[in-house]
Amino acid sequence: SDFREMVRIRIGSEFPSAKLELDGGKTLHTTSFMTGKWTIIASHPKCLTPVCLSEVAELSVRQDEFIRRNCRIAILTHQRLTPTETHAWKADIEAFHEKQFVRMPWPIIHSPELVESLGLLEKGT
């Protein structure tokens, strides 16, 4: 999708219809992903950092609460990770909480263009 023309989205705004690139070469269609559910797009400019790891791990620990509240989550990153990096990051998230099994169920959107169009980072950073 071309996000250069996208109006900046604010909390509570309707997210535009788009087809986004996910980890593993999959795609996410925003309309079908978000329709009829609350949606959280958790933005992390760099995936392989301690803060991003701990925040996504905490979301994962609470996945049953989000499901019960009819809420979907997607992780948005400015980075384009290799499949090996994505697998390693998910494994780190799942291992973060030593005493409880945590599964990383959230799709990871790799889109510098979307991050920039949402105003989360300046172009080229």
Side-chain angles (χ1 to χ4, degrees):
S1 297
D2 185 0
F3 296 103
R4 287 181 288 241
E5 301 299 320
M6 184 186 294
V7 175
R8 291 205 173 168
I9 296 172
R10 301 289 179 230
I11 293 174
S13 298
E14 186 173 322
F15 202 90
S17 178
K19 185 172 125 177
L20 303 170
E21 176 187 342
L22 299 179
D23 58 307
K26 299 173 189 169
T27 58
L28 178 141
H29 297 270
T30 58
T31 303
S32 60
F33 183 76
M34 297 178 178
T35 299
K37 296 189 180 287
W38 291 100
T39 305
I40 296 172
I41 305 292
S43 175
H44 292 282
K46 294 201 176 224
C47 294
L48 304 168
T49 64
V51 172
C52 295
L53 169 71
S54 63
E55 289 177 355
V56 175
E58 285 299 320
L59 287 173
S60 297
V61 165
R62 290 165 173 69
Q63 62 185 297
D64 289 342
E65 293 176 39
F66 288 108
I67 291 167
R68 192 171 49 255
R69 289 174 171 84
N70 197 31
C71 182
R72 287 195 168 167
I73 296 176
I75 308 303
L76 172 61
T77 178
H78 191 264
Q79 285 181 293
R80 294 203 190 273
L81 300 179
T82 67
T84 302
E85 290 171 322
T86 300
H87 179 76
W89 189 52
K90 284 183 174 183
D92 285 349
I93 290 166
E94 292 172 355
F96 186 77
H97 292 284
E98 296 174 15
K99 295 181 181 178
Q100 49 186 312
F101 174 75
V102 175
R103 192 174 58 79
M104 190 357 217
W106 320 122
I108 301 172
I109 303 166
H110 303 277
S111 180
E113 301 84 9
L114 178 58
V115 169
E116 290 170 6
S117 71
L118 294 173
L120 302 174
L121 286 176
E122 294 299 318
K123 187 174 182 166
T125 59

